[in-house]
Amino acid sequence: MLIGRIMVCFAKVEHSLTMLTGLLLQLNKAEVRVVLREPRAEERLEMALDIFAIKGIAVKSDTEALKSILSRAAQKRDWLAHGIWLRHPNSKQLYLRVTRGSWPKSHTRGEVIKRAVFPQSIPYSATDCRETLSLIERALSEVEKLGRELDGALYHSPEKFRQTAPVIDPLGRRPKKPKNH
């Protein structure tokens, strides 16, 4: 259950970052889906911050801290989504086999050992899941702060924004004219 919550919460972080960028670009939702595709969370943040700068909107949030949180959250989410779950034959404890990145140097006498060559299995418990979920929820909270900053800019400096284009019916239908009775 916790793993599912982690996946859903991280998807919400990514979606929120994409929508933030879409709002800054003043795209409608259909345009956002077509144009922005599926970059990594860190790239979505960079896009949004670049557009904040282009529009001359000073960001007060600690974006370096957010970048760090996003990076750690993405890594932990990816471990859960793409890792292989193992159960110790004697203790029955759950382990997560990680094949990306390198082993911590504290485990390797300072040498770089790639997990792709020598996978690392780390103990992983419900407590670890809760910590990961908490980290992702912090990331979401920080992204929501950026959204509030954008809302403030829209309110206080509407001249920096243009009206969004209407969504056009993909089937080419036009609204029906009312009949005269």
Coordinates of all heavy atoms in Angstrom, one line a residue, residues 3 6 76 79-80 85 93-96 122-132:
I3 N 3.9 1.6 -1.1 CA 4.6 1.7 -2.4 C 3.6 2.4 -3.4 O 4.1 3.3 -4.2 CB 5.1 0.4 -2.9 CG1 6.2 -0.1 -1.9 CG2 5.6 0.5 -4.3 CD1 6.7 -1.5 -2.2
I6 N 3.5 6.0 -2.7 CA 4.7 6.7 -3.2 C 4.6 7.0 -4.7 O 4.9 8.1 -5.1 CB 5.9 5.9 -2.8 CG1 6.2 5.9 -1.3 CG2 7.2 6.3 -3.6 CD1 7.2 4.9 -0.8
K76 N 14.7 7.5 -5.1 CA 14.0 6.6 -4.2 C 12.7 6.0 -4.9 O 12.4 4.8 -4.8 CB 13.7 7.2 -2.9 CG 14.9 7.4 -2.0 CD 14.6 8.1 -0.7 CE 15.9 8.3 0.1 NZ 16.4 7.1 0.7
W79 N 13.9 3.5 -7.5 CA 14.3 2.2 -6.8 C 13.1 1.4 -6.6 O 13.1 0.2 -6.9 CB 15.0 2.5 -5.5 CG 16.4 3.0 -5.6 CD1 17.1 3.3 -6.7 CD2 17.2 3.2 -4.4 NE1 18.4 3.7 -6.3 CE2 18.5 3.6 -4.9 CE3 17.1 3.1 -3.1 CZ2 19.5 4.0 -4.1 CZ3 18.1 3.4 -2.2 CH2 19.4 3.9 -2.8
L80 N 12.0 2.0 -6.1 CA 10.8 1.2 -5.8 C 10.1 0.7 -7.1 O 9.6 -0.4 -7.2 CB 9.8 2.0 -4.9 CG 10.3 2.3 -3.5 CD1 9.3 3.2 -2.8 CD2 10.5 1.1 -2.7
W85 N 12.5 -6.9 -5.8 CA 12.2 -7.2 -4.3 C 12.7 -8.6 -4.0 O 12.4 -9.5 -4.8 CB 10.8 -7.0 -4.0 CG 10.3 -5.6 -4.0 CD1 9.8 -5.0 -5.1 CD2 10.5 -4.6 -3.0 NE1 9.6 -3.6 -4.8 CE2 10.0 -3.4 -3.5 CE3 10.9 -4.7 -1.7 CZ2 9.9 -2.3 -2.7 CZ3 10.9 -3.6 -0.9 CH2 10.4 -2.4 -1.5
Q93 N 13.4 -10.9 6.0 CA 13.4 -9.4 5.8 C 13.4 -9.1 4.3 O 14.0 -9.8 3.5 CB 14.6 -8.8 6.5 CG 14.7 -7.3 6.3 CD 15.9 -6.7 7.0 OE1 16.7 -7.4 7.6 NE2 15.9 -5.4 7.0
L94 N 12.7 -8.0 3.9 CA 12.6 -7.6 2.5 C 13.9 -6.8 2.2 O 14.3 -6.0 3.0 CB 11.4 -6.7 2.3 CG 10.1 -7.4 2.2 CD1 8.9 -6.4 2.0 CD2 10.0 -8.4 1.0
Y95 N 14.4 -7.0 1.0 CA 15.5 -6.3 0.5 C 15.1 -5.8 -0.9 O 14.2 -6.3 -1.6 CB 16.7 -7.2 0.3 CG 17.4 -7.4 1.6 CD1 16.9 -8.4 2.5 CD2 18.6 -6.8 1.9 CE1 17.6 -8.6 3.7 CE2 19.2 -7.0 3.1 CZ 18.7 -8.0 4.0 OH 19.4 -8.2 5.2
L96 N 15.7 -4.7 -1.3 CA 15.5 -4.1 -2.6 C 16.8 -4.1 -3.4 O 17.8 -3.6 -2.9 CB 15.0 -2.6 -2.5 CG 14.6 -1.9 -3.7 CD1 13.5 -2.6 -4.5 CD2 14.2 -0.5 -3.4
I122 N 19.6 -3.8 -0.6 CA 19.5 -3.0 0.6 C 18.3 -3.4 1.4 O 17.2 -3.7 0.8 CB 19.5 -1.5 0.4 CG1 18.4 -1.1 -0.6 CG2 20.8 -1.0 -0.2 CD1 18.2 0.4 -0.8
P123 N 18.3 -3.5 2.7 CA 17.1 -3.8 3.5 C 16.1 -2.7 3.3 O 16.5 -1.5 3.2 CB 17.6 -3.8 4.9 CG 19.1 -3.7 4.9 CD 19.5 -3.3 3.6
Y124 N 14.8 -3.0 3.1 CA 13.8 -2.0 2.8 C 12.6 -2.4 3.6 O 12.0 -3.5 3.4 CB 13.5 -1.9 1.3 CG 13.1 -0.5 1.0 CD1 14.1 0.5 0.6 CD2 11.8 -0.1 1.0 CE1 13.7 1.7 0.3 CE2 11.4 1.2 0.7 CZ 12.3 2.1 0.3 OH 12.0 3.4 0.0
S125 N 12.1 -1.5 4.5 CA 11.0 -1.8 5.3 C 9.9 -0.8 5.1 O 10.0 0.2 4.4 CB 11.5 -1.7 6.8 OG 11.8 -0.4 7.1
A126 N 8.8 -1.0 5.8 CA 7.7 0.0 5.8 C 8.2 1.4 6.3 O 7.7 2.4 5.8 CB 6.5 -0.5 6.7
T127 N 9.1 1.4 7.2 CA 9.6 2.7 7.7 C 10.4 3.4 6.6 O 10.2 4.6 6.4 CB 10.6 2.4 8.9 OG1 9.9 1.8 10.0 CG2 11.2 3.7 9.4
D128 N 11.1 2.7 5.8 CA 11.8 3.3 4.6 C 10.8 3.8 3.7 O 10.9 4.9 3.1 CB 12.7 2.2 3.9 CG 13.8 1.8 4.8 OD1 14.6 2.7 5.3 OD2 14.0 0.6 5.0
C129 N 9.7 3.1 3.4 CA 8.6 3.6 2.6 C 8.0 4.9 3.1 O 7.8 5.8 2.3 CB 7.5 2.5 2.4 SG 7.9 1.2 1.2
R130 N 7.7 4.9 4.4 CA 7.1 6.1 5.0 C 8.1 7.3 4.8 O 7.7 8.4 4.6 CB 6.8 5.9 6.4 CG 5.5 5.1 6.6 CD 5.0 5.0 8.0 NE 5.6 4.0 8.9 CZ 5.3 2.7 8.8 NH1 4.4 2.3 7.9 NH2 5.9 1.9 9.6
E131 N 9.4 7.1 5.0 CA 10.4 8.2 4.9 C 10.4 8.7 3.4 O 10.5 9.9 3.2 CB 11.8 7.7 5.3 CG 11.9 7.5 6.8 CD 13.2 6.8 7.2 OE1 14.1 6.6 6.3 OE2 13.4 6.6 8.4
T132 N 10.3 7.7 2.5 CA 10.3 8.1 1.0 C 9.0 8.9 0.7 O 9.1 9.9 0.1 CB 10.4 6.9 0.1 OG1 11.7 6.2 0.4 CG2 10.3 7.2 -1.3

